Amino acid sequence: MTDKYFAWLKYYQQRNNAMLGITAVAVMMVLAWEMVSFYPLPPAWLSRFRQAYLIAGLLVFFLTIVLSYFGLEGKLP
Amino acid sequence: MNPTLSARLHRWSQRWAPAAIVIPGDGDVWPFVLVGLVLYVLRLGAAPLWYDEAVSEWMAELPLARMISATAADTHPPLYYALLHFVQWLGNSPFVLRLPSVFAALVVIYLTWEIAREFNLSRIARIIGVGLLLVIPFQLWFAQEARMYTIFEAFVLGALLAALRRRWLWFVALNALALWTHNYGLFYLIVNCGVAAYVFWFDRYDYWRRSSIATALRYSIPLGSRMEDIKHAATEALICVGLMGAIALTLWSPWLLALRTQMGIVNAGYWIQPVTAGDVVFSLFTILFGATSALPIWLVPICALFSIGLLTWLVIKIAQRPEEGTLIGLWFVAAPILISLSISFAWRPVFLFRGFAPGVPIICLLVGWALAQLNLRYRLYAAILIAPLFVGVGIGHYVSMPEIKGSELQTIMDNIRAEWQPGDVIFYSNEGPMVAWHMRSVGLPQYLLPRCPQNDLGALSQQTRDGLGMREVVPASLPWKRAWFVFAVMSPVTQCAADEGQAFLDAHPHRLAYEIQNDQYVEANVWLLER
């Protein structure tokens, strides 16, 4: 095979490794939400935790998009 | 939508649409179908046909017998190409060739709504689920693609609905049609038979239970054991569903010989890589976001994070509150993935996200079901997460599709035609660019360089090449004066093929005519050679 094949294979492996990292983060985020929802806390605390989680989640969500744009655009195929 | 118009459309469908004759529906689905029609027809012909679609077009333009021979040595059954063969009578523009996929995608919307009713989903869950199906990038991509995936979806989902509604003739026929449309039909036959067995068992168990109560009452004997009833019902379900599966397989059996050849091709070396955990995750992500080439790279991490998070959350919700419909849905989505993974580990990699297309509408329904259980505030929050991604990617789909599918190739071919001189020919280093340029270079003399002993990964078989009428020639044997040489070295190309192309180039005075793509993964250019 040509060097193109091996370059693609390397990219393919890097992509798959990145996917595993993303999976770990995604699963932990969901589990954290479930814990926030079901952990036996006083209702007032629980409500505050949920609010904080959702606002933090939104911030991280849009921040990731912005950072990805400046960090990755034009640097990968 | 105007309720009168909605009711009229429904009555019309009941009267004329073949599926609706056996599948009763309600009028609520038609607004979604109409929105789907607008979304799927929008800029339908704007992009040229890319490689996969060009294969469809080329196969479809062959006489039927030759097409069947060509596809028998490729990797798909012939039903879709046969359908496209007749559609081509209306024209062979990208718009016309993509129309069957649009119609099938509209049928999928209808079927998804009806399946949701059979799952006993609430109206709000149905609306969210089918609304999501309209904007999900995967569905948008394949509704506008001249390939078999939405048609395959329609057959498989139709069979699922037939099983849920106990329409066993339709169940057999639609499964057989799915088998003739895509080889993953085999996996979905197993999955649908699983659903049918459950439905059958449930019905027969009820029958046996009632019988034993009646017998006990009539003859004043103790009630038969519940276990006996379950056994009776299970035996009957297995026999009947096994029989129906066997009939569907029999209807498809003429293709078995061809399948053997196709599996031989996969066994001899296909382009799909061995499956890894990361690969599975990537496929789950692409099940929602479609062909990732349409995504800007900076959107991939957040889309992947969102997809995996959503699917994880969905599984947790189903586990927390298992219901009959959602469990059947989970089985329908997960079982084909598990079957495909098992085969990939036991034999050869066959794991490809496109084959899981029928699961996509069901995922949307499950998401609709899960979101419908949240209060309005959380639903709005979910909308804030989902809308920018799906809508943004959807708009990107319409804007960037022509470029992604190779609109610059058309410009290059137009220029070549403008510079064409008597004695000119086109040579291709391999079949990839030849297929992609096939529609654009009609009427021009064009040839492939002779093939190396070792095939490029995923290359067409000799039988398929012959069927398509690809001509391999040694350049010296032709009386050409100038040659436009399309020389493409991509990841599946062997070193031998790259060397042969380079040797041909070096043997003649040449200049670079057009650059197509040059980076560390692809080197593709058009060279002008003189003799």
Side-chain angles (χ1 to χ4, degrees):
Chain A
M1 301 307 290
T2 64
D3 56 345
K4 308 281 179 217
Y5 175 74
F6 295 106
W8 175 76
L9 217 54
K10 194 177 161 197
Y11 167 69
Y12 180 79
Q13 283 163 353
Q14 283 173 344
R15 184 200 74 185
N16 284 352
N17 288 340
M19 284 293 147
L20 285 182
I22 287 171
T23 302
V25 174
V27 170
M28 279 193 293
M29 281 173 71
V30 174
L31 290 180
W33 168 252
E34 291 300 317
M35 282 184 69
V36 168
S37 299
F38 290 100
Y39 200 74
L41 286 172
W45 279 49
L46 201 60
S47 174
R48 271 183 217 150
F49 265 128
R50 279 183 189 159
Q51 294 281 1
Y53 183 97
L54 290 179
I55 292 168
L58 266 187
L59 284 175
V60 169
F61 179 78
F62 287 109
L63 210 62
T64 307
I65 294 179
V66 173
L67 289 178
S68 299
Y69 181 77
F70 289 109
L72 294 177
E73 178 61 12
K75 294 184 182 167
L76 287 170
Chain B
M1 185 186 198
N2 182 341
T4 318
L5 176 60
S6 169
R8 250 189 236 161
L9 275 169
H10 176 58
R11 273 205 304 278
W12 178 85
S13 78
Q14 289 286 303
R15 195 165 168 193
W16 295 109
I21 289 170
V22 291
I23 304 170
D26 61 34
D28 295 348
V29 70
W30 292 110
F32 292 98
V33 174
L34 289 178
V35 173
L37 180 65
V38 173
L39 290 177
Y40 298 157
V41 170
L42 188 66
R43 285 176 64 79
L44 183 62
L49 301 178
W50 73 290
Y51 177 87
D52 280 15
E53 294 179 298
V55 170
S56 301
E57 184 274 331
W58 201 337
M59 287 281 189
E61 75 178 28
L62 300 175
L64 278 179
R66 225 171 98 192
M67 179 275 286
I68 289 171
S69 162
T71 196
D74 194 30
T75 49
H76 292 295
L79 183 62
Y80 174 71
Y81 299 135
L83 173 72
L84 218 54
H85 177 80
F86 296 107
V87 170
Q88 272 207 332
W89 291 353
L90 303 173
N92 68 351
S93 67
F95 183 91
V96 172
L97 292 172
R98 289 171 183 149
L99 274 181
S101 302
V102 171
F103 285 124
L106 297 177
V107 172
V108 166
I109 294 173
Y110 180 85
L111 291 171
T112 306
W113 183 269
E114 295 302 315
I115 288 169
R117 289 175 67 204
E118 292 304 316
F119 282 177
N120 284 325
L121 300 192
S122 66
R123 192 162 181 275
I124 187 71
R126 277 184 271 161
I127 288 172
I128 297 174
V130 177
L132 200 60
L133 181 63
L134 286 177
V135 294
I136 198 164
F138 179 98
Q139 198 66 11
L140 186 57
W141 176 281
F142 287 104
Q144 296 200 320
E145 171 114 325
R147 295 295 283 168
M148 66 289 286
Y149 296 101
T150 53
I151 294 172
F152 179 56
E153 260 181 359
F155 287 143
V156 173
L157 289 175
L160 172 66
L161 186 59
L164 294 171
R165 290 200 170 151
R166 294 136 178 99
R167 308 279 183 168
W168 301 120
L169 272 179
W170 282 93
F171 176 79
V172 170
L174 289 167
N175 271 313
L177 286 169
L179 285 166
W180 280 100
T181 308
H182 196 284
N183 285 333
Y184 263 38
L186 273 171
F187 303 165
Y188 278 98
L189 177 67
I190 297 170
V191 173
N192 272 333
C193 279
V195 176
Y198 169 74
V199 169
F200 218 94
W201 172 83
F202 189 83
D203 289 351
R204 298 310 291 172
Y205 170 63
D206 196 44
Y207 168 79
W208 281 107
R209 193 175 55 84
R210 284 165 195 268
S211 301
S212 44
I213 291 171
T215 311
L217 288 176
R218 193 174 305 147
Y219 299 108
S220 303
I221 56 172
L223 271 170
S225 82
R226 195 184 148 114
M227 193 50 75
E228 280 300 308
D229 297 338
I230 291 174
K231 272 188 194 166
H232 275 302
T235 311
E236 285 188 3
L238 283 178
I239 291 172
C240 292
V241 172
L243 202 63
M244 287 189 289
I247 295 170
L249 282 173
T250 308
L251 290 171
W252 168 77
S253 60
W255 193 250
L256 260 178
L257 275 179
L259 185 74
R260 203 160 158 251
T261 313
Q262 293 185 331
M263 292 303 102
I265 290 166
V266 174
N267 197 29
Y270 201 49
W271 60 271
I272 305 176
Q273 291 295 307
V275 183
T276 62
D279 209 22
V280 176
V281 174
F282 187 73
S283 295
L284 292 176
F285 150 55
T286 44
I287 278 174
L288 297 187
F289 280 93
T292 48
S293 54
L295 279 181
I297 187 70
W298 53 272
L299 259 184
V300 169
I302 196 68
C303 289
L305 194 72
F306 170 79
S307 309
I308 304 306
L310 183 70
L311 293 174
T312 309
W313 179 72
L314 205 53
V315 172
I316 291 175
K317 290 294 127 189
I318 294 172
Q320 282 173 346
R321 199 174 154 182
E323 291 172 11
E324 188 185 59
T326 51
L327 287 175
I328 291 176
L330 185 64
W331 158 260
F332 188 83
V333 172
I337 295 175
L338 295 176
I339 294 170
S340 174
L341 275 178
S342 309
I343 293 173
S344 296
F345 287 127
W347 179 56
R348 277 271 173 186
V350 293
F351 189 81
L352 199 56
F353 78 97
R354 292 188 287 258
F356 305 121
V360 173
I362 304 299
I363 291 176
C364 292
L365 284 186
L366 294 177
V367 173
W369 166 81
L371 289 180
Q373 292 172 36
L374 302 179
N375 64 34
L376 188 62
R377 194 165 56 122
Y378 288 137
R379 270 187 231 153
L380 280 175
Y381 185 86
I384 291 173
L385 289 180
I386 292 173
L389 287 186
F390 281 5
V391 174
V393 172
I395 292 170
H397 165 91
Y398 290 118
V399 173
S400 61
M401 193 56 62
E403 191 190 334
I404 292 164
K405 291 195 170 179
S407 55
E408 84 283 5
L409 295 182
Q410 184 62 55
T411 314
I412 292 174
M413 184 49 75
D414 290 344
N415 290 340
I416 290 176
R417 279 185 187 276
E419 295 177 50
W420 194 264
Q421 293 177 11
D424 279 8
V425 292
I426 301 175
F427 282 111
Y428 296 95
S429 61
N430 56 61
E431 71 209 15
M434 188 178 200
V435 170
W437 283 33
H438 167 67
M439 268 187 82
R440 304 175 173 100
S441 54
V442 174
L444 302 179
Q446 47 193 309
Y447 309 94
L448 271 173
L449 292 190
R451 189 199 285 251
C452 279
Q454 190 200 352
N455 265 350
D456 293 345
L457 287 179
L460 298 175
S461 67
Q462 194 58 46
Q463 185 179 327
T464 304
R465 281 186 173 201
D466 294 341
L468 291 171
M470 290 180 170
R471 282 173 290 175
E472 285 177 34
V473 296
V474 177
S477 66
L478 287 175
W480 52 273
K481 288 181 186 165
R482 297 195 314 168
W484 299 92
F485 180 40
V486 186
F487 185 25
V489 182
M490 302 156 290
S491 56
V493 170
T494 59
Q495 188 64 53
C496 166
D499 291 344
E500 293 283 326
Q502 192 61 47
F504 175 52
L505 194 63
D506 293 341
H508 301 87
H510 59 268
R511 70 173 171 85
L512 180 62
Y514 299 102
E515 282 188 48
I516 301 173
Q517 187 181 344
N518 285 289
D519 54 41
Q520 65 181 119
Y521 305 102
V522 179
E523 196 176 312
N525 298 296
V526 182
W527 300 84
L528 184 60
L529 280 60
E530 293 189 17
R531 215 171 193 177

